Amino acid sequence: ETVAQEIKGKILITQEQILKRAEELGKQITEDYKGEELVLVGTLRGAVPWMADIMKQIDLDLEIDFVSASSYGSGTVSSGEVKIKKDIELEIKGKHVLIIEDIIDTGNTLRALKDYFFLKKPKSVKICTLLDKPSRRQAEVYGDYIGFSVEDLFVIGYGLDYDQKYRNLPYISYLEE
C-alpha cells in the first residue's frame, strides 16, 4: 500500500471546493483588472494546478510566465534564504503582475519575489494563493486573492509536495507528524 493510499480520506479541501473557489476568484480578478494588461506568474512547481484552474476563469487577455524560487531544501522547514532558480522571460514593465502561488507560509519567498519584481517596474504586483497559512508568517506579505486559509499542518496535494511527492493528489490533504 502506498502512502498516497494511506492518506486518502484525510481530505482537508476537495477538488470541487477548489474549482468553485477558482471560479469565484477568477470573476473577481476579471473585474479588478478590466481594461488592463495582466501577467500571471506561476511559482514552479507547486502552483501549476491552481494556476491552470484560475487562468481558465479569468475573462481577459493575459500573458503567463513562470518563476522558480525557493527557501526550502528537501526538508519541511524553510531555510530562510531565497534563491531564484528560474526567472521570468516576459517584459513586465508597466503591466500588472499577479503571482500565482500554491501556499503562503512564512512569506519569505514571496516577499523576496515581490521586491525582485518591483525592480522591473510593473504597474502592480499582487498575489493569488491557493492556500494561506497565517500562523507561520514571518515576512510582511499577504495574499490579495486567497483560496483557503489552513492551520499549521504540512499540507500536500494539488501541487503541494513533500519531497516532490503527492503533487498529483486531486485534493488538499496533510501529513501527520
Side-chain angles (χ1 to χ4, degrees), residues 63-165:
E63 294 178 288
I64 67 166
D65 207 339
F66 293 93
V67 66
S68 179
S70 180
S71 62
Y72 287 85
S74 61
T76 61
V77 180
S78 174
S79 68
E81 183 190 341
V82 176
K83 294 185 181 105
I84 292 183
K85 299 172 185 169
K86 183 221 174 288
D87 202 346
I88 58 173
E89 296 168 24
L90 291 174
E91 175 63 60
I92 60 171
K93 185 176 182 175
K95 297 177 183 177
H96 293 283
V97 173
L98 185 58
I99 300 171
I100 310 293
E101 180 63 292
D102 52 355
I103 187 167
I104 305 176
D105 192 349
T106 62
N108 292 329
T109 304
L110 274 173
R111 174 78 269 152
L113 263 185
K114 276 186 90 166
D115 292 347
Y116 176 69
F117 286 160
F118 272 122
L119 297 173
K120 297 174 183 278
K121 309 259 188 286
K123 255 191 195 175
S124 70
V125 179
K126 290 190 175 179
I127 298 166
C128 173
T129 186
L130 171 57
L131 301 177
D132 185 27
K133 198 192 283 188
S135 63
R136 301 238 319 135
R137 196 76 80 249
Q138 293 170 4
E140 285 287 311
V141 66
Y142 306 95
D144 300 281
Y145 305 94
I146 296 170
F148 304 90
S149 274
V150 291
E151 292 169 43
D152 190 8
L153 297 166
F154 197 90
V155 284
I156 54 170
Y158 224 84
L160 294 122
D161 73 302
Y162 171 66
D163 210 12
Q164 301 303 327
K165 293 178 178 66

Side-chain angles (χ1 to χ4, degrees), residues 38-42 51 54-55 58 62-65 98 100:
L38 181 61
V39 179
L40 302 185
V41 177
M51 183 165 168
I54 282 286
M55 63 190 255
I58 299 173
L62 53 81
E63 294 178 288
I64 67 166
D65 207 339
L98 185 58
I100 310 293

